[in-house]
């Protein structure tokens, strides 16, 4: 019994060691050697949208089992069920082999055969131990079985991983989901989910093996140096999932559900290129996302330069990056160029309409003003000494004009404010009724 226990421990250590040296196993920064509890958090994601160009169709061909060619490469990626029901048998002995012992082993497809008893076998050579294994098809002939999506359990198709490495490492992508993963275990499958802004520019840092259904694990890094990943299906070869299963919250497990190519994003943004570089100011108070990803209040008459506009597939919104002409800070605002005038909607959806929210240029009247006076105007307040132009910027056109003695005028607002001007147009008294 003691020898058996020692043997099992040695096999487990050998498996871990082989995994650590396997170039297909990639991890985000921060994954720890010690095992931690795997997160089970889930969240609803945006449904996948068609890609701007057919990156998948151009590079990732789907192979049904009928079309598999000898030499195709797979990795054993068992899930919980696979650790109970073994997938492979040792070709030399005919005995079942634990999927746990074969975890992360690379299998080369060697065709299919039929036994004298009529069982169909799918044959493989394991490159790690140079031994032959087979998967016995449960029922029927190879031809009957191969046309379905069932395939061979536990096997992640490495052909997709190899192509994704060649095409994507170092590339700029944009995020199309809001939840991604970070590894928590260096030698295990533990992860935690994190929130990521839509349409965030990221760079692909590594590509490795994910799981059978989502074999391509794409690790990306954002501009702040934060790494995260998504495991996605590319060709869906041997994924074991039907096309209609990659919907709703599982849409993020398609490449187009989690990522968009930078050139596709930029091409879609070309229609907005005329706005890039424009100076604008806010007509009303609003909220924007600052560089730390926090929503902050922005005063009216705040001035910006439009730095970038990125489309968001499947929505009428774009992600607009603005740089304050005052402080140099960068902000992001979700904006639509589609005017949906909703009756009674004063500060609701219409507030996100570009033409409602922004005015062109920098208001001339703000130039040369003290910071205190500028702040009062932005807050809609007026004070003695304000010119008519400054009062107009702060409160808009008056609802009524009243002429007074000696050529004076009074501006009357419906909120009860009365601004009394001298003959030369300076406010000398402010009344509130």
């Amino acid at each position: 019994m003691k020898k058996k226990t020692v043997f099992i421990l040695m096999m487990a250590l050998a498996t871990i060691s082989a995994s650590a040296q396997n170039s297909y196993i990639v991890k985000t920064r921060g994954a720890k050697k010690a095992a931690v509890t795997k997160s089970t958090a889930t969240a609803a994601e945006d449904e996948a949208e068609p890609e701007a160009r057919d990156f998948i169709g151009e590079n990732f061909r789907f192979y049904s089992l009928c079309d598999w060619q000898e030499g195709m490469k797979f990795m054993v990626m068992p899930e919980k069920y696979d650790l109970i029901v073994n997938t492979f048998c040792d070709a030399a002995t005919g005995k079942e082999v634990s999927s746990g012992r074969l975890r992360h082993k690379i299998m080369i497809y060697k065709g299919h055969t039929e036994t004298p008893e009529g069982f169909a076998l799918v044959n493989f050579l394991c490159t790690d131990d140079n031994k032959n294994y087979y998967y016995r098809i449960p029922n029927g002939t190879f031809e009957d079985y191969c046309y379905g999506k069932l395939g061979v359990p536990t096997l992640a198709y490495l052909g997709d991983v190899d192509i994704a490495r060649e095409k994507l490492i170092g590339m700029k992508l944009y995020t199309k989901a809001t939840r991604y993963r970070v590894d928590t275990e260096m030698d295990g499958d533990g992860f935690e989910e994190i929130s990521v802004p839509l349409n965030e520019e990221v760079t692909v840092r590594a590509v490795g093996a994910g799981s059978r259904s989502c074999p391509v694990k794409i690790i990306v890094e954002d501009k702040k140096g934060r790494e995260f990943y998504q495991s996605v299906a590319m060709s869906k070869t041997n994924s074991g999932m039907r096309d209609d299963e990659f919907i709703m919250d599982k849409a993020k497990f398609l490449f187009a559900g989690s990522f968009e190519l930078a050139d596709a994003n930029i091409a879609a943004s070309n229609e907005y290129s005329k706005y890039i570089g424009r100076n604008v100011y806010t007509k009303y108070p609003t909220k924007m996302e600052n560089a730390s990803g926090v929503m902050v209040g922005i005063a009216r008459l705040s001035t910006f330069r439009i730095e970038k506009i990125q489309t968001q597939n499947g929505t009428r919104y774009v992600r607009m990056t603005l740089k304050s002409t005052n402080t140099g800070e960068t902000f992001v605002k979700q904006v639509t160029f589609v005017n949906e005038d909703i009756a009674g909607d004063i500060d609701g959806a219409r507030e996100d309409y570009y033409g409602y929210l922004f005015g062109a240029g920098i208001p001339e009247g703000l130039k040369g003003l003290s910071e205190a006076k500028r702040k009062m105007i932005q807050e809609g307040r007026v004070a003695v000494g304000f010119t008519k132009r400054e009062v107009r910027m702060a409160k808009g056109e008056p609802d009524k004009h009243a002429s007074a003695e000696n050529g004076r005028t009074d501006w009357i607002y419906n909120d009860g404010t009365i601004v009394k001007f001298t003959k030369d147009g300076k406010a000398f008294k402010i009344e509130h009724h």
Side-chain angles (χ1 to χ4, degrees):
M1 178 63 73
K2 186 175 181 180
K3 288 184 178 179
K4 184 176 180 181
T5 303
V6 171
F7 174 76
I8 292 171
L9 287 171
M10 288 177 65
M11 290 301 296
L13 288 171
T15 300
I16 291 173
S17 177
S19 299
Q21 296 173 13
N22 194 323
S23 66
Y24 285 100
I25 306 303
V26 294
K27 299 287 182 179
T28 54
R29 280 196 299 269
K32 294 178 171 50
K33 291 283 186 182
V36 296
T37 303
K38 178 177 177 179
S39 168
T40 57
T42 57
E45 309 297 337
D46 303 281
E47 294 187 21
E49 298 295 332
E51 295 172 52
R53 72 178 175 88
D54 192 10
F55 174 68
I56 299 299
E58 290 173 3
N59 298 289
F60 299 90
R61 174 188 168 186
F62 167 72
Y63 291 91
S64 71
L65 181 55
C66 304
D67 298 326
W68 284 15
Q69 300 165 6
E70 289 198 33
M72 288 177 67
K73 188 166 50 172
F74 300 84
M75 178 176 283
V76 181
M77 304 291 286
E79 297 179 356
K80 289 180 180 179
Y81 177 80
D82 302 314
L83 297 175
I84 300 171
V85 179
N86 296 324
T87 299
F88 296 98
C89 293
D90 187 319
T93 64
K95 293 183 178 180
E96 290 186 353
V97 181
S98 165
S99 294
R101 186 162 72 84
L102 293 176
R103 180 174 179 264
H104 293 171
K105 297 288 193 292
I106 294 176
M107 297 287 196
I108 306 298
Y109 176 60
K110 302 299 290 184
H112 63 90
T113 55
E114 188 173 307
T115 69
E117 296 79 19
F119 293 112
L121 308 180
V122 186
N123 303 307
F124 299 91
L125 170 67
C126 176
T127 60
D128 294 83
D129 59 15
N130 205 35
K131 294 175 66 174
N132 293 302
Y133 297 89
Y134 65 81
Y135 168 68
R136 195 177 91 173
I137 291 175
N139 298 297
T141 65
F142 177 82
E143 285 71 22
D144 292 335
Y145 182 83
C146 72
Y147 284 106
K149 287 279 188 180
L150 296 173
V152 178
T154 77
L155 292 185
Y157 179 46
L158 293 182
D160 282 355
V161 180
D162 290 337
I163 294 171
R165 279 179 167 176
E166 176 190 344
K167 299 291 182 180
L168 292 176
I169 289 180
M171 289 283 288
K172 300 288 184 186
L173 302 178
Y174 289 92
T175 57
K176 306 311 295 180
T178 57
R179 300 289 288 180
Y180 291 81
R181 295 176 175 180
V182 174
D183 291 304
T184 57
E185 297 175 4
M186 182 58 72
D187 301 316
D189 297 325
F191 66 88
E192 64 181 11
E193 288 195 330
I194 62 170
S195 295
V196 175
L198 276 173
N199 231 35
E200 188 85 343
E201 183 181 288
V202 295
T203 303
V204 180
R205 294 305 183 199
V207 176
S211 66
R212 180 197 174 188
S213 56
C214 303
V216 182
K217 178 179 179 180
I218 302 175
I219 296 178
V220 298
E221 181 181 12
D222 64 16
K223 290 183 176 180
K224 299 173 187 175
R226 181 174 65 163
E227 282 191 353
F228 47 91
Y229 76 88
Q230 198 73 281
S231 292
V232 298
M234 296 296 220
S235 71
K236 302 177 191 171
T237 295
N238 201 55
S239 74
M241 294 180 67
R242 303 185 311 273
D243 291 349
D244 61 4
E245 292 182 275
F246 288 100
I247 59 172
M248 303 300 288
D249 62 324
K250 291 185 178 179
K252 65 178 178 178
F253 298 127
L254 290 175
F255 179 78
S258 277
F259 300 107
E260 181 178 57
L261 298 173
D263 59 349
N265 187 286
I266 292 168
S269 299
N270 279 344
E271 62 183 291
Y272 302 109
S273 60
K274 63 183 179 182
Y275 295 95
I276 307 300
R278 283 188 181 181
N279 287 323
V280 294
Y281 65 91
T282 51
K283 297 179 183 177
Y284 304 93
T286 187
K287 288 188 176 181
M288 295 185 186
E289 182 183 316
N290 67 14
S292 300
V294 177
M295 295 299 293
V296 295
I298 301 295
R300 63 186 291 271
L301 299 178
S302 297
T303 55
F304 300 93
R305 182 180 186 274
I306 300 175
E307 297 286 299
K308 184 166 57 175
I309 298 177
Q310 297 167 285
T311 58
Q312 297 189 167
N313 286 352
T315 77
R316 60 189 179 89
Y317 286 93
V318 298
R319 184 175 169 86
M320 182 177 289
T321 303
L322 304 110
K323 187 174 184 178
S324 170
T325 59
N326 237 4
T327 65
E329 293 178 274
T330 298
F331 299 88
V332 171
K333 175 72 177 173
Q334 305 282 353
V335 176
T336 177
F337 286 81
V338 179
N339 186 8
E340 293 189 356
D341 193 2
I342 303 170
D345 182 14
I346 303 302
D347 293 314
R350 214 158 54 92
E351 189 262 347
D352 295 329
Y353 173 56
Y354 176 86
Y356 174 86
L357 180 59
F358 294 107
I362 297 176
E364 286 293 323
L366 289 180
K367 294 179 179 178
L369 294 182
S370 67
E371 188 60 35
K373 185 175 281 191
R374 179 193 290 262
K375 185 176 180 182
M376 287 189 69
I377 290 173
Q378 288 178 321
E379 293 173 352
R381 297 185 292 125
V382 293
V384 171
F386 271 38
T387 66
K388 288 184 176 181
R389 185 179 199 175
E390 290 164 352
V391 172
R392 188 179 287 111
M393 283 193 298
K395 298 192 66 66
E397 290 292 340
D399 297 293
K400 292 180 183 178
H401 292 81
S403 297
E405 70 282 357
N406 301 323
R408 282 199 322 96
T409 56
D410 294 345
W411 284 7
I412 304 168
Y413 291 89
N414 285 343
D415 66 356
T417 302
I418 300 176
V419 183
K420 297 180 176 292
F421 293 98
T422 62
K423 184 177 180 180
D424 60 359
K426 290 284 184 72
F428 72 90
K429 188 175 184 179
I430 313 295
E431 295 180 356
H432 300 283
H433 296 277

